Each structure stands twice: as structure tokens, then as C-alpha cells.
């Protein structure tokens, strides 16, 4: 408790970070899993179990829903063509979802690094970084585009 109170009262001009009570301690997978399914295709990972990512773009639940939607569509196609193998469905799912989720994880990590810059120089960088992204239209194009199903 004492360290929290000291952090809250530290003067930013003296290198303190007033109002910063905690470190986020956010961890994500630096490298994506090589496989999201069993060899048979009967066990498939979706959402954070397949591609955990930092929460700074708020896409965890959204990406899990997109995974489920993609997998459901592929299973539906499989049901229309029973000669296809379940393992092929799992492979197609991974092929469709791995790149978009990996790119999103990198973007989320970058936003997390910028968001958690603490000292006055970092805070100014953060404000200007997001201001420039917004002015150039890159915030919506690059950071919010993940909300749309792929």
C-alpha cells in the first residue's frame, strides 16, 4: 500500500509517475502456435487458446467469435460434402484465421507498448502518436479494421 501511495504522490517532473498505480504485466505469445488442431481435426482451438494477444485493441472476444463463425461455415460446407475430411476443415480454418490474428496481435502489442509509456516524454509521444494516426486515417484503417469478419 505504501508503494502505491508513493507512486500516486510522485512528482512527474522528478521522474515519478503520478497516478500510475500498477503495471499492466500483460503477456502475449510472441510467436503463434504452429497448430490449432489435432491431426484428426476433431479438436480445434479458437480464441485465446489459439492466439492469445494483448488486450489493447479490445479484440479478444471478437476474434473468438470470428474464429467460431469461420469454423462453423467450414463445418457447414463439410456437411454438404461428406466426402471431405474433418482434418481438411481444421486446416482450412487455420489457413484463413492465422494471418489475420497474427497481424492483429502485433498491432495490439504495438499499441500496448505506446499506451503504457509512463514518463512525460513517453506520454507526449503517446498523445502525438495517436493524434497523427487519427489525422492520417490510419487509426481506423489499421487498428479498427480487425473488427470486421475475415
Amino acid at each position: 500500500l505504501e508503494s502505491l501511495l508513493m507512486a500516486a504522490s510522485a512528482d512527474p517532473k522528478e521522474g515519478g509517475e503520478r497516478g500510475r498505480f500498477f503495471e499492466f504485466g500483460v503477456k502475449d505469445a510472441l510467436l503463434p502456435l504452429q497448430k490449432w488442431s489435432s491431426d484428426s481435426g476433431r479438436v480445434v482451438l479458437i480464441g485465446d487458446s489459439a492466439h492469445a494477444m494483448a488486450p489493447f485493441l479490445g479484440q479478444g472476444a471478437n476474434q473468438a467469435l470470428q474464429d467460431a463463425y469461420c469454423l462453423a461455415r467450414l463445418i457447414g460446407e463439410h456437411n454438404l460434402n461428406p466426402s471431405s475430411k474433418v482434418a481438411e476443415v481444421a486446416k482450412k480454418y487455420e489457413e484463413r484465421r492465422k494471418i489475420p490474428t497474427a497481424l492483429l496481435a502485433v498491432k495490439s502489442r504495438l499499441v500496448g507498448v505506446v499506451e503504457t509509456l509512463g514518463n512525460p516524454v513517453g506520454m507526449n509521444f503517446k498523445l502525438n502518436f495517436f493524434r497523427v494516426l487519427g489525422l492520417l486515417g490510419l487509426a481506423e484503417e489499421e487498428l479498427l479494421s480487425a473488427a470486421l469478419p475475415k
Side-chain angles (χ1 to χ4, degrees):
L1 182 62
E2 188 174 316
S3 62
L4 290 176
L5 293 173
M6 286 175 50
S9 63
D11 187 351
K13 294 176 185 170
E14 296 175 11
E17 298 183 44
R18 181 172 291 150
R20 247 179 113 85
F21 288 103
F22 56 88
E23 285 299 319
F24 285 101
V26 174
K27 306 289 184 219
D28 64 354
L30 292 177
L31 297 173
L33 294 176
Q34 288 186 350
K35 286 186 70 171
W36 292 359
S37 61
S38 64
D39 290 337
S40 69
R42 295 187 181 279
V43 177
V44 179
L45 301 176
I46 67 169
D48 284 349
S49 63
H51 47 74
M53 61 184 74
F56 295 100
L57 292 177
Q59 287 294 308
N62 183 18
Q63 294 307 305
L65 290 170
Q66 288 190 44
D67 288 349
Y69 178 79
C70 177
L71 189 56
R73 289 194 59 151
L74 290 168
I75 290 170
E77 291 171 13
H78 167 74
N79 288 341
L80 294 175
N81 181 12
S83 64
S84 66
K85 297 182 180 171
V86 175
E88 292 171 5
V89 170
K91 184 178 177 187
K92 283 182 185 177
Y93 157 70
E94 288 184 40
E95 289 170 354
R96 289 188 188 173
R97 295 295 299 149
K98 271 191 175 179
I99 292 175
T101 57
L103 291 172
L104 187 59
V106 169
K107 292 173 186 177
S108 187
R109 188 177 307 123
L110 171 66
V111 169
V113 168
V114 173
E115 267 298 316
T116 57
L117 293 172
N119 59 45
V121 172
M123 290 177 163
N124 282 329
F125 177 81
K126 172 176 52 176
L127 292 174
N128 288 316
F129 175 80
F130 289 114
R131 183 177 298 130
V132 168
L133 281 181
L135 290 172
L136 296 175
L138 294 174
E140 184 173 346
E141 183 178 322
E142 289 300 321
L143 302 179
L144 302 178
S145 65
L148 303 172
K150 305 284 183 272

